[in-house]
Amino acid sequence: MVVGGISTPPRDEVVVGVDGSEAGAAAIGFAFAEASRRGAGLRAVHAWNSLAPGSGLDPVPAVPQDGAERRLLAEALSGWRERYPDVEVTEQADRGHPVDVLRKASAGADLIVVGTRGRGEVAGLLLGSVSHALLHHTECPIAVVPPAA
């Protein structure tokens, strides 16, 4: 966990990044437990980019993926609401780069929680590219949760 300068008042909310991976499940569990402990709400955020095959990095705004992405988010949260009935959950699925979407969602949050698969450039710290970027671009404390052993 890293706590830096906090420039906005907290809003009694924990934000968790959801990517549907096994590594992300540990972050979801941590976020639910922390939201329950704090008496805070939980904002579960899933972000994705739509890229055109063979066209470089140009987004394809006309490709409707919202339904599949919202299903991924719902499936990743499946079972957690039952374990933590005291936690009010807000689901957010947005197209965009995960760092940008999570940074905006976490503005004013008490905590942002992300998982890591430990495959980023900073392998010695076991951080992925999203968690590494968020360490430098969020205004709230961040918890980077490794996969469950």
Side-chain angles (χ1 to χ4, degrees):
M1 183 170 294
V2 175
V3 179
I6 300 171
S7 63
T8 58
R11 63 179 188 230
D12 293 327
E13 184 173 67
V14 172
V15 173
V16 62
V18 177
D19 66 1
S21 70
E22 276 187 49
I28 293 170
F30 182 92
F32 265 95
E34 193 61 25
S36 178
R37 186 184 74 73
R38 294 169 181 251
L42 178 67
R43 177 175 302 274
V45 179
H46 174 62
W48 76 96
N49 285 322
S50 297
L51 301 178
S55 67
L57 300 176
D58 295 329
V60 180
V63 177
Q65 289 183 285
D66 291 10
E69 302 301 336
R70 291 189 188 285
R71 275 191 304 281
L72 181 148
L73 181 56
E75 289 171 8
L77 298 174
S78 179
W80 290 106
R81 284 185 168 106
E82 292 77 16
R83 288 187 210 162
Y84 294 93
D86 59 317
V87 176
E88 183 178 327
V89 180
T90 302
E91 295 182 22
Q92 178 180 335
D94 290 337
R95 185 183 337 222
H97 192 281
V99 173
D100 296 331
V101 172
L102 287 167
R103 183 183 49 77
K104 288 176 188 169
S106 68
D110 299 328
L111 175 69
I112 182 168
V113 180
V114 293
T116 183
R117 288 174 251 174
R119 291 190 226 145
E121 291 179 25
V122 190
L125 296 176
L126 296 176
L127 299 178
S129 58
V130 171
S131 56
H132 184 257
L134 286 172
L135 281 171
H136 298 285
H137 299 290
T138 59
E139 297 178 6
C140 69
I142 180 170
V144 180
V145 181

